């Protein structure tokens, strides 16, 4: 199994600093995107802690599989699912701890989406409204479900396209790292096929361009680095209201 990866982040057209961070840890077949929130650059701190802690946990457990984990394993999940979930929970604990100790970081938090590629499966772990999609046979499908107030409304009742467009609290997320001492992590298994492409992004991408536009770029642009740049450029051309981060990972069976 081999993973081909490209990633990029951009401040966007309206913000003066970038609170997104991303990780490409090729030796562990791990990629992730984190979208920070909080004033005075604390969102940037939160997203950086998230990607650093998750990466470090994977490095540590790879070198020493008998190392003590900071959280109990969930018996309903396999080793790879537990490893990803635990890494994200550890990141949450570190962000919450930092915000508790240092008052200038009070209230900081971050979303996170991550994909760990094991030998026969891809495991998607996420908290918040950053997204993971996968692209197969010309079709783009969303894997994650937004932990947002808008999505809660959509599940509770049907909203018209106009109501969705004018929804007053589009940016309110109901689950994020750093909000509480403990966090619930969603983990989804995807069984990839040769040349499947996984797209991880902050809402600076998914909130500015449609899934159809993303699908069109991936259909026309097989080079991952080029596609990544085109996706970010399109989000910025649409207004670039937020920081924009995109990671693309293509699965190869051998």
């Amino acid at each position: 199994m081999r993973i081909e990866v490209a990633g990029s982040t951009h401040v966007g057209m309206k913000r003066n600093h970038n609170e997104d961070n991303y990780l490409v840890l090729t030796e562990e077949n791990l990629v992730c995107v984190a979208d920070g929130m909080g004033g005075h650059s604390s969102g940037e701190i939160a997203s950086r802690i998230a990607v650093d802690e998750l990466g470090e946990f994977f490095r540590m457990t790879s070198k020493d599989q008998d190392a003590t984990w900071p959280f109990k394993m969930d018996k309903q999940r396999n080793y790879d699912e537990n490893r990803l979930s635990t890494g994200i929970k550890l990141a949450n604990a570190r962000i919450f701890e930092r915000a508790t100790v240092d008052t200038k970081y009070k209230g900081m938090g971050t979303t996170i989406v991550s994909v760990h590629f094991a030998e026969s499966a891809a495991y998607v772990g996420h908290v918040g409204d950053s997204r993971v999609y996968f692209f197969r046979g010309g079709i783009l499908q969303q894997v994650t479900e937004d932990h947002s107030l808008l999505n809660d409304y959509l599940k509770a009742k049907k909203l018209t396209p106009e109501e969705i467009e004018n929804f007053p609290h589009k940016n309110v997320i109901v689950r994020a790292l750093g909000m509480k001492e403990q966090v619930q992590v969603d983990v989804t298994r995807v069984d990839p096929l040769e040349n499947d492409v996984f797209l991880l992004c902050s809402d600076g991408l998914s909130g500015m361009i449609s899934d159809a536009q993303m699908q069109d770029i991936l259909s026309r642009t097989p080079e991952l680095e080029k596609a990544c740049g085109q996706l970010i450029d399109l989000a910025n051309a649409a207004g670039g209201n937020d920081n924009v981060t995109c990671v693309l990972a293509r699965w190869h069976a051998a």
Side-chain angles (χ1 to χ4, degrees):
M1 180 267 294
R2 179 174 63 86
I3 307 301
E4 179 187 352
V5 184
S8 186
T9 186
H10 192 281
V11 69
M13 308 306 290
K14 303 290 178 66
R15 302 293 177 90
N16 57 20
H17 68 283
N18 195 343
E19 294 190 320
D20 288 359
N21 273 290
Y22 73 94
L23 172 73
V24 173
L25 192 62
T26 51
E27 64 268 30
E28 298 297 338
N29 295 315
L30 176 71
V31 292
C32 71
V33 168
D35 179 357
M37 55 192 179
H40 308 294
S41 301
S42 57
E44 183 180 352
I45 299 297
S47 63
R48 171 51 58 190
I49 293 172
V51 300
D52 286 350
E53 287 292 337
L54 181 58
E56 186 55 37
F57 180 73
F58 265 72
R59 290 189 189 95
M60 183 266 289
T61 50
S62 178
K63 292 174 183 174
D64 182 6
Q65 294 198 356
D66 294 324
T68 301
W69 288 18
F71 300 95
K72 290 183 179 179
M73 292 185 72
D74 182 343
K75 294 179 181 178
Q76 303 301 314
R77 291 174 169 172
N78 66 26
Y79 175 84
D80 290 307
E81 290 168 327
N82 271 289
R83 188 183 183 200
L84 185 56
S85 174
T86 298
I88 294 173
K89 288 178 179 179
L90 180 60
N92 175 75
R94 292 287 182 265
I95 295 165
F96 184 82
E97 181 182 79
R98 180 75 174 273
T100 301
V101 170
D102 194 333
T103 54
K104 71 180 177 183
Y105 296 133
K106 184 179 180 181
M108 74 174 176
T110 184
T111 69
I112 192 166
V113 284
S114 55
V115 183
H116 171 51
F117 298 94
E119 279 305 316
S120 59
Y123 295 98
V124 177
H126 91 286
V127 178
D129 65 350
S130 294
R131 292 181 178 178
V132 175
Y133 297 82
F134 84 98
F135 179 72
R136 173 185 295 172
I139 304 298
L140 186 72
Q141 300 180 53
Q142 185 176 337
V143 178
T144 55
E145 180 179 296
D146 295 350
H147 300 144
S148 67
L149 191 60
L150 174 58
N151 194 51
D152 284 354
Y153 269 81
L154 288 171
K155 289 191 294 183
K157 67 169 188 172
K158 292 182 179 179
L159 298 179
T160 66
E162 185 180 1
E163 286 174 325
I164 294 171
E165 181 65 29
N166 296 318
F167 190 76
H169 308 295
K170 277 186 178 179
N171 296 325
V172 176
I173 56 177
V174 295
R175 201 190 308 176
L177 302 190
M179 290 174 70
K180 297 179 180 179
E181 192 170 2
Q182 297 183 349
V183 70
Q184 179 184 343
V185 181
D186 289 359
V187 180
T188 305
R189 174 182 172 135
V190 177
D191 295 315
L193 301 177
E194 181 67 23
N195 288 321
D196 278 358
V197 175
F198 289 76
L199 187 162
L200 296 76
C201 66
S202 61
D203 69 340
L205 182 68
S206 59
M208 295 306 302
I209 65 174
S210 68
D211 292 4
Q213 289 173 300
M214 296 185 212
Q215 179 176 288
D216 181 58
I217 287 175
L218 292 176
S219 297
R220 291 186 291 103
T221 315
E223 303 92 341
L224 296 187
E225 191 168 338
K226 188 175 179 182
C228 207
Q230 289 180 1
L231 287 163
I232 289 174
D233 287 347
L234 192 59
N236 282 331
N241 293 341
D242 203 349
N243 309 141
V244 194
T245 303
C246 174
V247 173
L248 296 172
R250 179 179 284 123
W251 166 279
H252 298 286

